[in-house]
Amino acid sequence: MDNKQPIKYFCILGNNPTLSLAEISAVLPSVNKGKLITGQVFIFETLKKIDPKTLIKNIGGIIKIGIIEKEIADNNFFSFIKPMLKPESGKYKFGFSCYGQKKLNIKPLAMDIKKYLKEKGVNSRWVTSREPALSSVVVEQNKLTTKGMEIIIISNNNKYSI
């Protein structure tokens, strides 16, 4: 018997969340335990590993998709995010997208990351936006998925998913 643990994913839904959810269930029949948060964020589990880069090309109604790496009860994000920072040569770019129920002040976190990277001898740039979430265009133009990192924080009740 296979005792695989389910993997948690999130999807940021497009302008028509109902259609986006229908697309997800049509393309991913193995999805279970799905939960819609604030009408824009869908969190689900599946035993089958999904390639987010492939999936986003197949589902037009999804703006972003990714793996939930950690769920925490407090907002001490830096201790969790620090080991995920893997800068290579050149300037390391990072940005935040915040979704969910709580408005977050991420400036202190961004300054901690910049300080940490500077101590490692890495130049960095914090990519920002007027909105709490970076648009997919901003993420793509700044190459956050290839030469940096977009950190997505989803607040739901008293939990944060990263």
Side-chain angles (χ1 to χ4, degrees):
M1 188 168 151
D2 193 7
N3 288 335
K4 281 179 137 180
Q5 289 284 14
I7 303 167
K8 271 194 174 179
Y9 293 88
F10 71 89
C11 291
I12 307 303
L13 306 176
N15 290 332
N16 189 335
T18 305
L19 182 59
S20 299
L21 291 171
E23 285 182 298
I24 291 168
S25 63
V27 174
L28 299 172
S30 64
V31 165
N32 59 43
K33 295 187 181 179
K35 185 177 184 180
L36 189 61
I37 300 171
T38 67
Q40 184 183 20
V41 180
F42 181 64
I43 294 176
F44 65 92
E45 295 180 353
T46 180
L47 293 172
K48 184 179 171 188
K49 190 168 172 80
I50 296 169
D51 178 20
K53 289 180 182 179
T54 302
L55 185 62
I56 201 154
K57 290 176 185 173
N58 294 331
I59 301 179
I62 292 179
I63 297 170
K64 297 177 185 177
I65 183 170
I67 298 171
I68 294 178
E69 297 287 343
K70 182 86 170 168
E71 290 182 324
I72 57 177
D74 60 23
N75 61 358
N76 185 13
F77 304 122
F78 182 66
S79 61
F80 176 71
I81 292 170
K82 186 168 85 169
M84 294 171 56
L85 300 169
K86 306 230 186 295
E88 295 175 10
S89 61
K91 185 174 267 194
Y92 189 77
K93 297 177 185 179
F94 65 94
F96 298 94
S97 290
C98 300
Y99 299 94
Q101 301 163 334
K102 292 183 180 176
K103 185 172 168 84
L104 299 173
N105 177 11
I106 48 123
K107 185 174 182 176
L109 175 59
M111 294 300 106
D112 286 345
I113 290 172
K114 283 187 72 62
K115 180 181 174 188
Y116 170 76
L117 291 171
K118 188 173 186 172
E119 289 169 358
K120 297 273 183 201
V122 176
N123 290 326
S124 65
R125 178 172 169 246
W126 173 26
V127 177
T128 62
S129 169
R130 288 189 177 105
E131 301 298 318
L134 299 173
S135 71
S136 53
V137 172
V138 169
V139 171
E140 187 66 31
Q141 285 177 341
N142 287 282
K143 298 179 175 61
L144 294 183
T145 57
T146 57
K147 296 193 182 279
M149 172 185 252
E150 178 187 18
I151 302 158
I152 297 177
I153 302 172
I154 302 164
S155 63
N156 182 28
N157 295 324
N158 292 325
K159 270 196 316 195
Y160 298 95
S161 299
I162 302 174

